[in-house]
Amino acid sequence: MGILNRKQTPTEETITFLRECGPTCSSRELAKALGGQPYYYNIQAKNGTLPFEFMWRGRALRIFTESVIKKLKGD
């Protein structure tokens, strides 16, 4: 489960949850929406392999929710 499972289709609940997070979400919120462990999203971001647009706010990873939604919809 999670972002690596390409057979998973985004539900309206998932997209609504992500939009309620605001313009950015934390790795914990992303894990709650997509599955997986928040730690691994941080590792992917540090390695430059996270498939979403992100930024660092100090040591905190912030992921742009619209990039996640676009990726889920296949745009």
Side-chain angles (χ1 to χ4, degrees):
M1 191 162 165
I3 62 172
L4 299 179
N5 184 356
R6 298 294 178 211
K7 294 179 182 177
Q8 182 181 11
T9 57
T11 63
E12 286 301 317
E13 291 176 3
T14 303
I15 293 171
T16 302
F17 174 78
L18 288 169
R19 287 207 169 112
E20 288 174 355
C21 291
T24 63
C25 65
S26 67
S27 56
R28 182 177 286 171
E29 292 167 327
L30 186 63
K32 186 176 180 182
L34 302 181
Q37 297 292 320
Y39 174 74
Y40 295 115
Y41 293 117
N42 289 348
I43 295 299
Q44 286 181 331
K46 286 180 184 177
N47 292 336
T49 58
L50 187 66
F52 311 119
E53 293 178 27
F54 65 91
M55 67 177 179
W56 292 98
R57 185 177 296 156
R59 292 182 358 190
L61 174 65
R62 300 303 296 177
I63 302 139
F64 291 99
T65 54
E66 283 304 314
S67 73
V68 176
I69 292 168
K70 284 180 185 178
K71 195 80 157 175
L72 288 175
K73 289 184 174 181
D75 294 342

